[in-house]
Amino acid sequence: KAGVTQTPRYLIKTRGQQVTLSCSPISGHRSVSWYQQTPGQGLQFLFEYFSETQRNKGNFPGRFSGRQFSNSRSEMNVSTLELGDSALYLCASRRQGEGDTQYFGPGTRLTVL
Amino acid sequence: GIQVEQSPPDLILQEGANSTLRCNFSDSVNNLQWFHQNPWGQLINLFYIPSGTKQNGRLSATTVATERYSLLYISSSQTTDSGVYFCAVELPGSSNTGKLIFGQGTTLQVKP
């Protein structure tokens, strides 16, 4: 069974631009969560989607948004990029909800210049 | 909010040595996972262990939920074990679904 995939793997943008990252979950998994990892803040939860609905959201500004499609693939968007948005963005999928293991993709490394 | 604390923050071992990594958490949890982050950034699942003991090869983990801690044991360490080890917890309740809270990690270096 294929693992979680994320595209692109690397991205360089400039301040003020916007970016869209994509995540394809493991087949049969309906829940997708997104995380941001930075050296200063560590790994922080962004949001979680299940059956095309956002179930939970972390403490990030409204510039960070996401969505989930009917095939469970998910995208996250960051608008008006700031230097501090440079980070590794990880998504994770799992079958349903509580009690299930989250499996992580390889991440997208975003650099904002 | 819940605190997840890992110790030690850094660990240097000689190949073949054993080690114990600890994760303390300040509240009851639904889910606890251990991960190894490889040099390319991917988080590799090691254990899903909200309670009890599990073993997988040279690695084993124990979570004592009533005392709010988990231990990851690495025996006969190899250079490929180097990297950052994270524990992460999920709180109960629908408002916490899908939200893993991570510790700051333990950076392990195994020298040949």
Side-chain angles (χ1 to χ4, degrees):
Chain A
K1 199 183 250 191
V4 180
T5 58
Q6 292 187 245
T7 56
R9 295 293 311 279
Y10 302 91
L11 208 47
I12 299 175
K13 293 285 188 179
T14 56
R15 275 180 300 176
Q17 287 187 309
Q18 75 161 20
V19 67
T20 299
L21 312 182
S22 180
C23 173
S24 292
I26 292 171
S27 177
H29 287 194
R30 296 168 63 192
S31 166
V32 173
S33 295
W34 288 89
Y35 297 84
Q36 180 197 66
Q37 185 177 25
T38 60
Q41 298 299 316
L43 279 148
Q44 293 185 289
F45 171 78
L46 281 157
F47 26 66
E48 189 250 5
Y49 286 87
F50 180 83
S51 290
E52 302 178 65
T53 300
Q54 184 183 88
R55 287 201 294 196
N56 280 306
K57 190 177 192 309
N59 190 23
F60 279 81
R63 299 185 297 106
F64 291 81
S65 63
R67 59 178 175 167
Q68 187 180 34
F69 302 94
S70 58
N71 61 358
S72 295
R73 190 177 70 85
S74 177
E75 290 181 346
M76 68 163 281
N77 183 275
V78 188
S79 62
T80 319
L81 284 166
E82 300 177 1
L83 296 179
D85 298 332
S86 294
L88 178 65
Y89 290 88
L90 294 160
C91 83
S93 77
R94 63 183 184 179
R95 256 187 298 268
Q96 294 250 84
E98 293 184 42
D100 286 340
T101 304
Q102 288 195 26
Y103 296 91
F104 281 79
T108 294
R109 193 167 294 277
L110 171 65
T111 302
V112 182
L113 302 175
Chain B
I2 187 171
Q3 302 293 316
V4 182
E5 296 176 352
Q6 291 186 241
S7 60
D10 300 282
L11 190 56
I12 301 174
L13 298 175
Q14 211 60 38
E15 200 167 28
N18 302 329
S19 61
T20 301
L21 282 57
R22 187 178 179 102
C23 173
N24 291 335
F25 44 97
S26 60
D27 210 339
S28 298
V29 300
N30 241 13
N31 173 8
L32 187 146
Q33 292 185 238
W34 282 97
F35 298 92
H36 176 208
Q37 189 164 39
N38 67 23
W40 298 272
Q42 183 159 8
L43 288 170
I44 308 298
N45 279 56
L46 297 178
F47 294 102
Y48 168 83
I49 187 164
S51 64
T53 297
K54 290 186 178 179
Q55 179 153 9
N56 184 5
R58 296 181 297 103
L59 272 57
S60 64
T62 295
T63 297
V64 183
T66 52
E67 297 187 23
R68 298 181 183 166
Y69 73 87
S70 183
L71 302 174
L72 177 69
Y73 305 97
I74 305 174
S75 64
S76 305
S77 57
Q78 302 174 356
T79 55
T80 51
D81 294 331
S82 296
V84 185
Y85 289 80
F86 289 101
C87 79
V89 303
E90 181 179 4
L91 297 175
S94 59
S95 63
N96 296 301
T97 300
K99 177 182 177 181
L100 283 175
I101 301 167
F102 284 80
Q104 289 302 306
T106 292
T107 301
L108 173 64
Q109 183 182 359
V110 181
K111 294 187 172 183

